[in-house]
Amino acid sequence: MRAVFTIPLRHEDGCLGALDLYRDQPGALDDDELATAETLADVATAYLLNARTRDEARRSRDQYQHRALHDHLTSLPNRHLLQERIEQAAQRARRSHATAAVLFADLDRFKVVNDTHGHRAGDDLLIAVARRLNGLVRAGDTLARVSGDEFVFLCEDLVDVAEAEGLAVRVTEVFAEPFLLAGVEAPITITASVGIAYAGPGSAISEQLVVEADMAMYQVKRRGGSGHQVVDMREALRTMDLQRLEHDLRRALAEDQIEVHYQPILHTPDGTTAGVEALVRWTHPARGPIPPPTIIRVAERSGLIGELGAWILERACRDHARWLAEDPLLDLDLAVNMSARQLLDAGFDLEVSAILDRTGMAPGSLVLEVTESVFIDDSGAAGEVLAALDGRGIRLALDDFGTGYSSLSYLCRLPIHIVKIDRSFIADLDRADTRAIVTAISGLAHELDLEIVAEGIETEDQANQVGALGCQYSQGFLFARPMTAEAVAERLQAERARQVELVVGRHPALAPPSGPPQVTSRATLLVFSHVIEELAEAAGADATLVTMFQHARHFAPMAARYERLAGAGATVVVGFAGSGPPVDGLTVVELADAHPLRDQWSVVLITPTVAAHVVATDLVPSGPPGARSDRRYSGRWGFDRREAGAHLERLLVGLEDAIAPRVRAQLVETARRAGGPPLTRAEHGLAGAARKLLERIEADQRALADLVPAPDPTP
């Protein structure tokens, strides 16, 4: 070796190293040799960069896969990895005929820890619990955190159910020692409720075990918690004799043993009850509560699903009618689940229509929930049935969206109105990838003008997150568990009692029978009417304003302002008794003395962003002649879009043919579009502020009237 040449391996981020070339002759490299050496160095650099990139990609992939399949807080397997392990266990069990069990553990009163010590302490407690439970896991078994304070064991190759019960006992024992947490002075004592679902040999192993274990866990909760309960799937599906269970289901239907419970669905912005989901319940005389999935499975196997589904739908519609009888203004959706087999039965849409006719149920208040499995291998039959239901005015919800085949074409091709985001996504909202998926689903639904229901909400954090992501409706155990129809009625009554009053008075029909109607002054009405007119001016051409002035003399001072509104492009309709001043650009209706709207003072404003309304009936002034009693009115007002739209529809009925067909069609469409959630959070604040202002004005006027003595009525 007579010469050594070193060529740096460079790239844009710096130097990777050097390439050494050795030669047995002294002297420098000529230009060709140097070019060849540099090319060789570039090749070496590219090879090293590619190798490093592959290593980084492999590490990133492994990290992403680990994050996707493990809980970010405890590093335990999550729901997705648990599902994979269950599928693998089922495959092994089919070959080996081994047994398996699922243990579902839920911490008792965990919410108290969060509320008392904060979420940081709650997270620390979950980490400590996971560490203790992980010490109980045998080789080959799986411990997963599936949601909040819920942990699931998957145990394979068990000798019998007693072995699973032994593990459940050890699970409850690990909570005997209190937990010491950083930042919390006193040790925290907590217990757990454990449900066990046992299957074997092998063929019954499926994700249904988790559902059954969850049901068993709630049986423990109902007994006070801190214990375990066994559900043996072999006994439920084999030893208990499916044929006998089918016979019992027929008898239960005939003897009215089946019940329907309801889980409330809340309007996310204000927490009011927007609807309920009907859920089947059956308490067997000898076997106790039968899990709903088992009821549906038995009904489908026995051919009873059509009869059972029709019974559930009719019972739910009749319960809805009873709630409506207690509150005629109730706006409550009723959601009922439909199985694929039931939906595809001949004449299903006709049967639904017949039930609606018998019960008086409004089609627009009914929501039928279907899963994506309905649309697989049905040759378009499901689409035809859904189209028929949609034509009847019934809304359709796609349940468990994102867990099945998730074909986005369904949302475009089929008459879907509502998307329900599955609880598995809600449980993992803390993960960035899951949150991104839910954000995408929410954005897509909004673009397609679909409503969104987030189901399975169990924590305050989840509730806050789904609200921030734009889910209009929320459902889950955090808000309410399934309840009887009577409990729903009590809930609605209590909700009405504590609901923020958005009006300074109530319509006489809504006043308590034993109490006088509440009234307000003309001056207060004028203030609120001026507020509405200011909003109309701000909206300009996007405003629709309809006002009944009672008399032409009330309209005369406002004529110029209303003419300006019409000149700005707003749709303006006014009505009054008598002859008013000439105005351009707006629709004027002169009401006869006997006209039903003659004695009503009404203002309705609807714009794309806000709606407001006033409806008041003139009362006979009280007090001696000349006293400062002012005219008094009984009525209601507020910023509720639905009420504004409904009142506009009532006005159109009263006006009948008094307005031009083109204007009437435009107003009908405006009233129809005014539907939607009762109040957004922003509108709620606006309504509350306006209410306080108007109450103050009303109080000031009463005080002024008290200060000025009434004149002596005697000559």
Side-chain angles (χ1 to χ4, degrees), residues 484-495:
T484 63
E486 293 74 18
V488 171
E490 293 174 2
R491 176 187 177 90
L492 294 173
Q493 183 179 7
E495 192 169 274

Side-chain angles (χ1 to χ4, degrees), residues 52-53 58 216 245 295 322 422 506 589:
R52 189 170 71 176
T53 301
R58 187 180 299 109
L245 200 57
I295 300 174
R322 283 192 285 271
D422 185 70
R506 301 180 66 88
V589 180

Side-chain angles (χ1 to χ4, degrees), residues 20-142:
D20 290 341
L21 300 177
Y22 302 91
R23 196 170 66 176
D24 57 1
Q25 295 179 2
L29 298 173
D30 59 27
D31 291 343
D32 291 340
E33 291 172 335
L34 182 59
T36 301
E38 289 177 344
T39 300
L40 184 60
D42 289 342
V43 171
T45 299
Y47 176 80
L48 292 175
L49 287 174
N50 287 337
R52 189 170 71 176
T53 301
R54 286 195 300 271
D55 289 341
E56 291 175 351
R58 187 180 299 109
R59 285 195 297 271
S60 297
R61 182 193 63 200
D62 293 343
Q63 291 173 359
Y64 177 80
Q65 186 176 19
H66 185 274
R67 288 196 300 268
L69 296 176
H70 290 79
D71 174 51
H72 75 284
L73 181 65
T74 62
S75 296
L76 293 176
N78 61 13
R79 185 184 296 271
H80 301 290
L81 183 53
L82 175 65
Q83 183 176 356
E84 290 184 9
R85 298 278 175 85
I86 291 175
E87 293 172 355
Q88 295 166 4
Q91 293 174 2
R92 287 191 292 269
R94 279 193 290 269
R95 293 191 300 267
S96 64
H97 300 285
T99 60
V102 165
L103 279 71
F104 199 113
D106 182 274
L107 304 187
D108 301 323
R109 297 172 57 81
F110 176 71
K111 186 177 184 296
V112 175
V113 177
N114 272 336
D115 293 344
T116 304
H117 304 289
H119 290 281
R120 177 63 181 273
D123 288 346
D124 290 343
L125 177 60
L126 290 174
I127 294 172
V129 168
R131 191 178 298 116
R132 289 191 188 180
L133 295 179
N134 207 28
L136 304 177
V137 178
R138 307 177 309 165
D141 291 348
T142 298

Side-chain angles (χ1 to χ4, degrees), residues 48-342:
L48 292 175
L49 287 174
N50 287 337
R52 189 170 71 176
T53 301
R54 286 195 300 271
D55 289 341
E56 291 175 351
R58 187 180 299 109
R59 285 195 297 271
S60 297
R61 182 193 63 200
D62 293 343
Q63 291 173 359
Y64 177 80
Q65 186 176 19
H66 185 274
R67 288 196 300 268
L69 296 176
H70 290 79
D71 174 51
H72 75 284
L73 181 65
T74 62
S75 296
L76 293 176
N78 61 13
R79 185 184 296 271
H80 301 290
L81 183 53
L82 175 65
Q83 183 176 356
E84 290 184 9
R85 298 278 175 85
I86 291 175
E87 293 172 355
Q88 295 166 4
Q91 293 174 2
R92 287 191 292 269
R94 279 193 290 269
R95 293 191 300 267
S96 64
H97 300 285
T99 60
V102 165
L103 279 71
F104 199 113
D106 182 274
L107 304 187
D108 301 323
R109 297 172 57 81
F110 176 71
K111 186 177 184 296
V112 175
V113 177
N114 272 336
D115 293 344
T116 304
H117 304 289
H119 290 281
R120 177 63 181 273
D123 288 346
D124 290 343
L125 177 60
L126 290 174
I127 294 172
V129 168
R131 191 178 298 116
R132 289 191 188 180
L133 295 179
N134 207 28
L136 304 177
V137 178
R138 307 177 309 165
D141 291 348
T142 298
L143 170 63
R145 179 187 176 218
V146 294
S147 174
D149 58 343
E150 296 176 344
F151 298 84
V152 171
F153 289 84
L154 171 62
C155 306
E156 301 182 56
D157 299 322
L158 299 176
V159 176
D160 53 27
V161 69
E163 194 171 356
E165 289 191 83
L167 176 58
V169 171
R170 293 194 295 275
V171 169
T172 56
E173 288 176 348
V174 301
F175 292 92
E177 182 181 351
F179 291 84
L180 301 176
L181 304 179
V184 179
E185 295 182 3
I188 293 180
T189 300
I190 197 166
T191 59
S193 300
V194 183
I196 307 170
Y198 178 72
S203 59
I205 296 178
S206 70
E207 199 173 1
Q208 183 64 27
L209 279 175
V210 179
V211 176
E212 300 291 347
D214 189 15
M215 296 289 294
M217 180 271 294
Y218 278 110
Q219 293 176 7
V220 180
K221 291 279 190 184
R222 287 193 289 270
R223 296 200 305 264
S226 186
H228 68 272
Q229 172 72 39
V230 179
V231 172
D232 189 338
M233 286 296 292
R234 289 183 306 168
E235 293 298 312
L237 298 178
R238 294 175 183 161
T239 308
M240 288 177 66
D241 185 8
L242 264 180
Q243 292 183 349
R244 178 63 180 172
L245 200 57
E246 292 170 6
H247 175 270
D248 292 345
L249 180 58
R250 292 181 189 275
R251 183 174 180 179
L253 276 169
E255 298 181 356
D256 203 24
Q257 295 177 9
I258 305 297
E259 297 178 331
V260 179
H261 286 194
Y262 303 89
Q263 186 172 30
I265 301 172
L266 274 59
H267 180 229
T268 303
D270 56 21
T272 57
T273 303
V276 293
E277 180 180 0
L279 303 168
V280 65
R281 293 292 185 267
W282 177 25
T283 301
H284 192 280
R287 302 169 181 175
I290 305 298
T294 301
I295 300 174
I296 301 302
R297 188 163 57 249
V298 170
E300 289 185 337
R301 288 171 58 98
S302 61
L304 286 172
I305 188 62
E307 181 181 351
L308 175 63
W311 183 91
I312 293 172
L313 177 60
E314 183 156 352
R315 170 61 63 87
C317 289
R318 294 194 184 281
D319 286 339
H320 187 276
R322 283 192 285 271
W323 302 327
L324 195 63
E326 295 179 10
D327 181 6
L329 296 181
L330 180 66
D331 188 5
L332 187 76
D333 289 338
L334 173 64
V336 182
N337 291 278
M338 295 290 129
S339 73
R341 187 170 301 181
Q342 183 181 1

Side-chain angles (χ1 to χ4, degrees), residues 644-712:
H647 185 57
L648 178 54
E649 290 178 343
R650 289 193 290 270
L651 288 178
L652 291 174
V653 172
L655 294 174
E656 295 180 346
D657 299 327
I659 54 179
R662 180 186 60 81
V663 177
R664 181 181 180 84
Q666 182 178 351
L667 294 177
V668 169
E669 179 63 17
T670 298
R672 186 188 67 81
R673 290 200 309 267
L679 285 177
T680 64
R681 191 178 298 276
E683 289 169 339
H684 217 296
L686 178 62
R691 175 177 178 268
K692 291 179 181 178
L693 174 63
L694 297 175
E695 284 180 335
R696 181 175 178 181
I697 294 172
E698 185 81 356
D700 289 345
Q701 295 208 26
R702 285 196 297 269
L704 183 61
D706 292 339
L707 290 174
V708 179
D712 189 351

